[in-house]
């Protein structure tokens, strides 16, 4: 099993993530309907489709961060909602850490996640427990840090991050929103997870699967 995510694997990661979001577009929009305004799935799939077209034309062999740079620029330039720019900055942080390297190692993935978490917090001020994507980012980032410190194999680390993000996302079902539109919905959102957090869980699951592919 590879201990790095090579440039080719990063491309599979991005495409796998796009496929996963596209497959669940309706579900994600439905979640946003319950906790916001119902545009999330459409916004995400539209931006990811645009990114897929940009990726087909970009030279993503330039480095392990290239595909994320394309994703980041696409989301920052062409996506709507509150989450569009936040995801744009999130992808951009992965792009920056991977820039100029042939592959992502575990410490690089831990660094990109920690940077992305810090960026999302700086822009949106959400803390753990506010019912946002941060509730999936934080546990995944911590899992990667712990795995990097322990010197775990990459597959194990990504499995732990994907599981932690999933658990964090599911846990938002029981949280009252304190940021964004979901804060106006109150108890009506209880019982459904936050769509941004669910999407972050798909992101880490796709990373784990790209390692096998
Ligand atoms: P809206 O329609 O409210 O403008 P989107 O539907 O594009 O926003 O995105 C909603 C998602 O954005 C939520 O599921 C949540 O994860 C995320 N989100 C909203 N506000 C914040 C914030 N302040 N910090 C982090 N994430 C946020
Ligand atoms: Mg919305």
């Amino acid at each position: 099993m590879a201990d790095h995510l090579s440039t080719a694997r990063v491309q599979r990661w991005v495409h796998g993530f796009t496929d996963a979001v596209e497959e669940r577009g309706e579900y994600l929009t439905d979640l946003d309907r319950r906790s916001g305004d119902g545009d999330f799935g459409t916004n995400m799939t539209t931006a990811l489709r645009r990114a897929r077209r940009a990726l087909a034309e970009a030279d993503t062999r330039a480095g392990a961060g290239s595909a994320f740079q394309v994703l980041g620029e696409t989301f920052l330039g062409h996506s709507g909602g509150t989450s569009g720019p936040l995801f744009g900055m999130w992808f951009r942080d992965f792009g920056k850490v991977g820039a100029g390297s042939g592959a992502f190692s575990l410490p690089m993935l831990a660094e990109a996640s920690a940077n992305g978490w810090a960026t999302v917090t700086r822009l949106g001020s959400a803390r753990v427990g506010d019912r946002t994507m941060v509730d999936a980012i934080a546990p995944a980032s911590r899992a990667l840090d712990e795995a990097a410190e322990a010197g775990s194999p990459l597959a194990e680390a990504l499995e732990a991050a994907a599981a932690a993000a999933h658990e964090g996302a599911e846990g938002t079902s029981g949280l009252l929103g304190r940021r964004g539109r979901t804060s106006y919905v109150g108890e009506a959102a209880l019982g459904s997870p936050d769509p941004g957090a669910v999407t972050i869980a798909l992101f880490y699951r796709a990373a784990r699967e790209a390692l096998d592919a």
Side-chain angles (χ1 to χ4, degrees):
M1 174 91 49
D3 224 34
H4 288 82
L5 281 169
S6 64
T7 300
R9 283 184 201 277
V10 170
Q11 292 193 35
R12 283 189 217 135
W13 176 4
V14 168
H15 286 293
F17 171 62
T18 301
D19 290 343
V21 170
E22 276 190 354
E23 275 164 28
R24 292 166 185 79
E26 275 300 311
Y27 169 66
L28 292 169
T29 286
D30 189 51
L31 291 183
D32 192 38
R33 212 171 279 130
R34 288 160 198 270
S35 63
D37 56 357
D39 62 349
F40 184 87
T42 316
N43 285 346
M44 277 303 285
T45 45
T46 305
L48 284 169
R49 278 190 194 133
R50 185 186 273 269
R52 222 198 285 257
R53 287 196 298 276
L55 279 169
E57 282 162 25
D59 184 9
T60 48
R61 290 161 307 175
S66 311
F68 287 121
Q69 279 163 346
V70 171
L71 230 56
E73 297 318 313
T74 306
F75 270 73
L76 287 171
H78 302 282
S79 71
T82 308
S83 62
L86 292 175
F87 274 105
M89 295 298 281
W90 169 257
F91 295 133
R92 187 185 260 186
D93 276 336
F94 278 75
K96 276 189 202 160
V97 170
S101 299
F104 274 97
S105 62
L106 171 52
M108 287 165 71
L109 291 167
E111 186 190 348
S113 296
N115 292 350
W117 179 7
T119 301
V120 169
T121 301
R122 180 165 51 74
L123 295 175
S125 311
R127 306 280 156 194
V128 171
D130 284 352
R131 193 187 162 91
T132 70
M133 60 175 80
V134 169
D135 291 306
I137 292 173
S141 177
R142 287 194 194 114
L144 290 175
D145 276 344
E146 279 167 25
E149 211 156 293
S152 306
L154 184 56
E156 217 173 88
L158 285 175
E159 186 57 47
H166 179 72
E167 204 178 304
E170 291 301 309
T172 59
S173 294
L175 295 174
L176 288 170
R178 281 198 287 261
R179 297 280 159 199
R181 283 182 210 277
T182 182
S183 62
Y184 307 122
V185 177
E187 291 187 3
L190 294 178
S192 316
D194 174 71
V198 168
T199 302
I200 291 290
L202 295 175
F203 178 77
Y204 284 105
R205 179 51 60 194
R208 172 65 190 87
E209 284 171 1
L211 200 56
D212 278 340

